[in-house]
Amino acid sequence: MPDIAAWLQSLGLGKYVPEFERNEIDFEALPHLTQSMLAEIGLPIGPRAKLLAAIAELRSSASSHATSKQVARQDADLPVSRPEAERRQITVMFCDLVESTRLAASLDPEDLGLLIAAYQNASRTIITRYGGHVARYLGDGILAYFGWPLAHEDAAER
């Protein structure tokens, strides 16, 4: 796994690396961060939301390898799954790169890979800016959720 600075850079949150270093936040501390802790170190609401969503994604991808203690809920404001039922409005969005088959036929594979990576990065930036969560990349498609893992009254509008 990359270091915390590289991980923050990959999320577009590289300018907060000094705060993480000052507060000695590493991957071991990451699952225990809360909204209030992130506010205390100076992160605005948008980056806090992005970071908590990314932490939730790390949790879900690592759940098969982690102990229950590592993924235990530490604070009420962590965006983790709850065992009890919850009614929530979720908007699901799927984006697809138009004419990607034609592009694939006309571009060098390395260039096509760079183009798709740029498209995915730009899409992720916009989706997370509006409180969305990229659930999965499917070739040239992107599956995103609004209203999960963090609920918003205006998820559909976002």
Side-chain angles (χ1 to χ4, degrees):
M1 176 163 283
D3 67 355
I4 199 86
W7 183 72
L8 287 168
Q9 288 288 349
S10 74
L11 296 172
L13 300 172
K15 69 181 185 178
Y16 300 107
V17 169
E19 283 82 3
F20 275 67
E21 289 172 348
R22 254 192 307 280
N23 289 280
E24 300 178 13
I25 300 170
D26 57 13
F27 279 108
E28 190 175 326
L30 208 56
H32 306 289
L33 293 177
T34 64
Q35 285 264 14
S36 57
M37 289 174 184
L38 294 172
E40 188 177 324
I41 66 170
L43 271 70
I45 293 171
R48 272 186 271 162
K50 290 179 193 177
L51 194 57
L52 289 171
I55 291 169
E57 190 172 315
L58 281 178
R59 259 193 205 108
S60 66
S61 67
S63 64
S64 62
H65 304 294
T67 65
S68 60
K69 182 180 177 188
Q70 289 172 309
V71 295
R73 188 172 179 173
Q74 297 296 317
D75 196 284
D77 59 359
L78 281 176
V80 296
S81 298
R82 298 183 204 162
E84 69 270 5
E86 178 182 15
R87 183 177 297 219
R88 181 186 291 200
Q89 295 293 319
I90 295 177
T91 300
V92 178
M93 179 177 78
F94 183 77
C95 298
D96 188 54
L97 189 61
V98 176
E99 305 268 344
S100 62
T101 305
R102 191 167 55 100
L103 280 172
S106 64
L107 291 176
D108 186 60
E110 289 83 10
D111 293 336
L112 179 64
L114 291 172
L115 176 75
I116 290 177
Y119 155 71
Q120 289 174 338
N121 287 334
S123 297
R124 182 187 70 242
T125 299
I126 293 167
I127 290 166
T128 56
R129 179 182 309 147
Y130 290 98
H133 169 75
V134 175
R136 181 166 289 146
Y137 295 105
L138 305 162
D140 67 332
I142 298 173
L143 177 65
Y145 303 141
F146 290 83
W148 185 92
L150 300 174
H152 300 282
E153 289 294 320
D154 61 343
E157 289 84 9
R158 288 171 179 250

